[in-house]
């Protein structure tokens, strides 16, 4: 009897260790509404690719760090071809690269001149080069797909606390959200020099109060989460202010601790909120269309969302920090998202939740 039990335990552990094909019954909105988003995968660490991972976790032959387990994920980026990059500030600070083709996890930024201290937001260019904002070193590091350091942008003079990076490949520009600088710094990808500055501290249109995330549309428009002004702002390709949307509140469409921002192929605007534990989706006029998530630890739930991203295949990646994971959704392109879909979910900060300085909160 004992032998049968031991064999059963080992079989279960091995099955858990190789769980990349696990199915989830999470769709948004739930039936009977047509599903528009489907949870496809949850990233937690290299154990999901390694048959020994579950056994090592139980018997201690590998530490959690050696298994490349996510501890404090901050941001995520995907090239749409099977490579998913996740920044993690736990020791050692690193970028975990989930290779869904080779079924392995490798690290970037843990040694040499490209060693990272506080890797936060990230961006990718069409060639697969990765740009990582380091909030402590006050620079943005550019890595090749193989992890080789290609260059560094910014300095202590031009960046105070870089928290996110986004690339405009058409205009060969790198945009950096400089949170404590209350601005977005724009660098040339050609010579790495500072080209211009967007914004300054304030609450008027075009000004910022701890910007936390930046992304670029195909038309060159710049979308910035203006975290402690509880809104996002949009600028044209030359940095001219276009519009702002959002205010503090507990109603759908408002914000408490907005964090990340992303765009899909249909130009919907996605904004994550760490207090609401959800991702709200807006049209180009700022109308709320739908939202995903609620507080919790089940698949499809979130606890302290940080960065989000959408890749070229319209997969939405959400950093679920306190659950030590990243969740991936497929966007199911149904007819236009309408108001009927936006009755799903709940938007409310945790009881007693107070907005925080996003840099301190990190």
């Amino acid at each position: 009897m004992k032998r049968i039990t031991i064999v059963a335990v080992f079989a279960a552990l091995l099955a858990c260790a190789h769980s990349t094909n696990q199915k989830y019954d999470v769709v948004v909105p739930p039936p009977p509404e047509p599903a528009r988003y489907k949870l496809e995968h949850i990233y937690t660490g290299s154990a999901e690719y390694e048959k020994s991972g579950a056994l090592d976790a139980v018997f201690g032959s590998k530490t959690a760090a050696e298994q490349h387990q996510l501890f404090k994920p901050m941001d995520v980026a995907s090239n749409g071809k099977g490579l998913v990059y996740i920044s993690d500030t736990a020791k050692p600070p690193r970028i975990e690269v989930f290779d869904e083709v080779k079924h392995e996890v490798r690290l970037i930024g843990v040694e040499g001149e490209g060693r990272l201290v506080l890797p936060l937001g990230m961006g990718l260019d069409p060639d697969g080069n990765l740009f990582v904002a380091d909030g402590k070193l006050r620079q943005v590091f550019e890595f090749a797909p193989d992890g080789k350091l290609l260059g560094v942008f910014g300095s202590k003079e031009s960046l105070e606390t870089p928290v996110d990076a986004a690339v405009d490949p058409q205009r060969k520009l790198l945009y950096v959200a400089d949170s404590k600088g209350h601005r977005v710094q724009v660098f040339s990808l050609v010579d790495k020099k500072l080209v211009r500055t967007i914004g300054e501290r304030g609450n008027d249109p075009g000004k910022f109060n701890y910007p936390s995330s930046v992304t670029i549309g195909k038309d060159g428009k710049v979308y910035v989460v203006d975290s402690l002004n509880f809104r996002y702002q949009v600028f044209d390709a030359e940095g001219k202010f276009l519009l702002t949307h959002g205010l503090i509140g507990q109603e759908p469409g408002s914000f408490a601790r907005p964090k990340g921002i992303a765009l899909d192929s249909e130009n919907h605007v996605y904004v994550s909120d760490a207090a609401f534990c959800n991702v709200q989706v807006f049209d180009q006029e700022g109308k709320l269309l739908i939202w995903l998530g609620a507080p919790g630890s089940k698949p499809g739930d979130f606890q302290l969302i940080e960065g989000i991203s959408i890749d070229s295949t319209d997969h939405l990646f959400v950093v679920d920090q306190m659950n030590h994971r990243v969740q991936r959704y497929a966007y199911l392109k149904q007819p236009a998202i309408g108001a009927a879909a936006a009755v799903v979910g709940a938007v409310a900060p945790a009881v007693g939740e107070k907005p925080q300085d996003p840099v301190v909160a990190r």
Side-chain angles (χ1 to χ4, degrees):
M1 185 67 177
K2 288 183 179 179
R3 183 179 179 183
I4 294 174
T5 302
I6 292 172
V7 170
V9 169
F10 268 72
L13 288 171
L14 288 173
C16 291
H18 198 67
S19 59
T20 56
N21 294 320
Q22 183 173 347
K23 304 297 183 183
Y24 300 96
D25 295 324
V26 178
V27 294
V28 179
E33 294 290 335
R36 301 180 183 278
Y37 299 91
K38 178 176 177 55
L39 178 62
E40 285 190 338
H41 189 70
I42 296 177
Y43 303 86
T44 57
S46 61
E48 63 187 80
Y49 295 139
E50 300 170 1
K51 289 185 178 180
S52 63
L55 301 180
D56 291 332
V58 172
F59 296 111
S61 60
K62 279 188 179 181
T63 66
E66 288 172 331
Q67 292 179 48
H68 308 326
Q69 178 180 336
L70 295 177
F71 280 95
K72 193 177 181 183
M74 300 301 299
D75 198 18
V76 60
S78 167
N79 70 351
K81 300 176 182 178
L83 291 181
V84 179
Y85 301 84
I86 301 174
S87 59
D88 196 311
T89 58
K91 293 183 180 180
R94 61 198 181 273
I95 307 300
E96 297 200 13
V97 187
F98 287 73
D99 190 324
E100 299 183 292
V101 176
K102 295 181 179 179
H103 293 278
E104 65 179 21
V105 177
R106 53 187 180 270
L107 304 183
I108 290 177
V110 294
E111 59 186 6
E113 59 179 341
R115 185 171 183 173
L116 301 167
V117 176
L118 189 66
L120 300 174
M122 301 178 293
L124 284 167
D125 71 13
D127 296 324
N129 297 317
L130 180 71
F131 297 79
V132 182
D134 192 303
K136 286 286 188 184
L137 296 178
R138 298 167 70 171
Q139 293 177 311
V140 175
F141 291 77
E142 180 186 2
F143 296 95
D146 63 2
K148 179 183 177 182
L149 180 66
L150 297 178
V152 178
F153 295 77
S155 64
K156 292 181 180 180
E157 287 70 41
S158 58
L159 293 171
E160 288 193 41
T161 311
V163 295
D164 198 16
V167 175
D168 181 346
Q170 269 191 310
R171 296 161 187 82
K172 300 187 183 303
L173 296 173
L174 174 70
Y175 288 78
V176 182
D178 187 8
S179 187
K180 286 187 176 179
H182 309 287
R183 61 195 174 186
V184 173
Q185 298 284 61
V186 187
F187 296 88
S188 166
L189 288 173
V190 178
D191 60 15
K192 298 180 173 56
K193 292 182 178 179
L194 182 65
V195 175
R196 60 176 171 267
T197 297
I198 301 175
E200 59 181 328
R201 189 164 197 180
N203 55 20
D204 294 332
K207 296 183 178 181
F208 299 113
N209 195 11
Y210 293 101
S212 60
S213 185
V214 59
T215 195
I216 311 299
K218 292 180 180 179
D219 55 3
K221 288 182 181 177
V222 184
Y223 297 75
V224 185
V225 173
D226 186 10
S227 191
L228 289 192
N229 282 328
F230 312 101
R231 64 191 182 187
Y232 66 85
Q233 301 198 64
V234 185
F235 301 81
D236 70 14
E238 301 302 319
K240 180 183 177 182
F241 171 79
L242 295 177
L243 64 90
T244 181
H245 174 74
L247 48 79
I248 187 172
Q250 297 190 23
E251 300 77 22
S254 60
F255 300 114
R257 282 179 62 193
K259 284 286 189 175
I261 193 164
L263 300 170
D264 65 22
S265 64
E266 297 176 349
N267 257 0
H268 299 126
V269 182
Y270 296 67
V271 182
S272 62
D273 196 298
F276 293 159
C277 299
N278 69 10
V279 177
Q280 299 187 76
V281 186
F282 302 88
D283 66 13
Q284 281 292 305
E285 285 68 50
K287 176 185 176 183
L288 177 66
L289 302 175
I290 195 170
W291 62 83
L292 299 82
S297 58
K298 302 188 304 295
D301 292 343
F302 303 111
Q303 290 287 0
L304 189 59
I305 296 179
E306 281 285 345
I308 59 174
S309 70
I310 298 176
D311 66 16
S312 58
T313 61
D314 270 341
H315 282 91
L316 168 66
F317 296 79
V318 184
V319 174
D320 185 12
Q321 188 182 92
M322 294 302 291
N323 286 322
H324 314 292
R325 64 191 184 186
V326 170
Q327 302 193 55
R328 183 186 78 209
Y329 290 81
Y331 173 39
L332 310 175
K333 296 183 180 179
Q334 304 284 358
I337 299 175
V343 299
V344 182
V347 179
V351 176
E353 177 80 72
K354 296 175 68 176
Q356 300 179 38
D357 177 334
V359 175
V360 175
R362 290 179 183 274

